[in-house]
Amino acid sequence: MFENLKYEVKDHIAYVTVNRPKALNALSKEVLDELYQAFTMVDQDPEVGAAILTGEGRAFVAGADISQMVDLSGIAGQDMMKQGALVMNHIEEISKPVIGAINGFALGGGCELAMACDIRIASVNAKFGQPEVNLGIIPGFGGTQRLPRLVGKGMGKYMMMTAEMVNAQEALRIGLVEKVVEADDLIPTCEKIAQTIMSKAPIAIKAVKTAVNNGIMLDVKTGIAFEGEACGAPFCSEDRKEGMTAFLEKRPAKFENK
Ligand code: DAK
């Protein structure tokens, strides 16, 4: 189905694996196009409740494809930046949770791709960084905006100005990832998290995603007003009635995405 990705659905989880291991899964124009299509499939397939995004081999994604960028004109560069930013926004905005399983290098556009996921789980081998200044550019797929929101302004600037890589434990300490696990436990851990999330009311999960993603860009007061709006759909759902009734009847809830 794809040339640069593996895409598989199992037990309601879509596995999206960037599959260019020889180039450490660098984001070529083609990979970006395919990622956009794959996450549209995740969004639209009613059989899919969550996605796990990872990379084949020893990298998650080592960045935008430098060999494709080297000869780009300024205008073509802007187009590429727009394409990358669009893909990251798409992943962030789809209605289903996306878990990044960070198995190795997550550099430049790869770190930005990881940050577009809702939750990041790192293997002990993972390495993160924004080395764009080594190449005479700056992060162009949302990194200057998403990184400081995750790790704070100082650490974000530190990483983007020094181009230093951080290992998985440091990424955990600064809030760039949520958990660090042994390499063999990476996918099982992500599957467990996906299953846990999928056992909840999907309309509520979608509303959490929307409220957090939009609210974080607003001042707290406006954000709380936004949260009020986002409460509407879950509160009006049949699943809300089921969840509350199940609690009172001391039984597990059976959610139907209604
Ligand atoms: N692009 C293309 N090829 C890459 C690559 C990349 N980002 N990263 C690695 N490769 C390729 C290498 O060229 C090598 O290919 P062959 O020589 O075997 O053909 C192969 O993957 C294996 O890499 P190494 O031999 O270098 O492996 P090592 O273990 O020695 O080193 C490394 C691993 C990850 C430390 C190293 O490969 C590395 O430093 N890679 C580059 C990391 C990087 O700088 N990433 C940031 C890329 S820049 C914008 C648009 C986009 C962006 C910004 C702005 N605008 C238009 C405004 C985004 C920029 C980026 O992401």
Side-chain angles (χ1 to χ4, degrees):
M1 184 186 325
F2 293 112
E3 277 184 23
N4 302 283
L5 301 182
K6 290 189 204 162
Y7 185 92
E8 183 188 12
V9 177
K10 217 169 50 191
D11 297 332
H12 305 289
I13 300 173
Y15 296 80
V16 182
T17 306
V18 183
N19 189 25
R20 284 187 81 201
K22 282 190 185 150
L24 301 187
N25 301 323
L27 297 174
S28 61
K29 185 184 174 330
E30 295 73 25
V31 176
L32 287 169
D33 280 343
E34 291 185 6
L35 278 170
Y36 193 95
Q37 288 172 42
F39 281 95
T40 301
M41 287 163 64
V42 169
D43 200 28
Q44 292 178 354
D45 184 346
E47 287 303 308
V48 171
I52 295 175
L53 172 61
T54 193
E56 186 67 30
R58 65 190 176 100
F60 175 70
V61 163
D65 191 321
I66 300 169
S67 64
Q68 278 191 350
M69 280 192 295
V70 63
D71 290 325
L72 284 188
S73 67
I75 289 175
Q78 288 292 323
D79 285 348
M80 185 185 175
M81 191 206 80
K82 279 188 200 143
Q83 185 202 15
L86 197 75
V87 173
M88 309 302 152
N89 290 348
H90 186 49
I91 293 171
E92 193 172 64
E93 286 165 7
I94 64 165
S95 59
K96 302 185 183 151
V98 180
I99 301 169
I102 320 300
N103 51 305
F105 292 112
L107 303 175
C111 189
E112 292 167 302
L113 181 63
M115 290 190 288
C117 298
D118 296 300
I119 291 168
R120 281 153 297 283
I121 308 300
S123 102
V124 287
N125 304 324
K127 288 213 164 68
F128 298 81
Q130 296 288 168
E132 285 86 349
V133 292
N134 288 336
L135 305 170
I137 54 175
I138 68 166
F141 296 166
T144 62
Q145 303 308 304
R146 288 196 180 94
L147 186 61
R149 282 171 167 84
L150 279 173
V151 304
K153 196 165 133 188
M155 184 52 86
K157 284 181 183 165
Y158 183 90
M159 287 178 66
M160 288 185 271
M161 289 180 174
T162 65
E164 270 178 30
M165 283 192 219
V166 301
N167 66 22
Q169 281 305 332
E170 178 68 352
L172 180 66
R173 190 188 71 78
I174 64 180
L176 185 50
V177 302
E178 281 62 63
K179 267 179 204 274
V180 177
V181 297
E182 293 298 325
D184 288 347
D185 295 333
L186 181 62
I187 297 300
T189 302
C190 293
E191 286 168 340
K192 215 166 148 204
I193 295 166
Q195 295 294 355
T196 300
I197 297 172
M198 289 191 298
S199 73
K200 316 298 178 197
I203 295 168
I205 295 297
K206 182 178 167 188
V208 167
K209 186 163 169 164
T210 309
V212 174
N213 283 346
N214 290 282
I216 206 143
M217 291 180 283
L218 304 168
D219 66 276
V220 172
K221 228 171 161 185
T222 316
I224 289 169
F226 190 88
E227 181 186 76
E229 296 288 318
C231 281
F235 209 84
C236 295
S237 69
E238 289 178 29
D239 281 348
R240 190 268 300 187
K241 196 100 184 125
E242 164 62 10
M244 293 185 180
T245 306
F247 172 80
L248 295 172
E249 293 176 354
K250 301 188 188 305
R251 61 171 174 83
K254 272 190 72 184
F255 295 120
E256 292 186 0
N257 197 13
K258 284 198 250 179

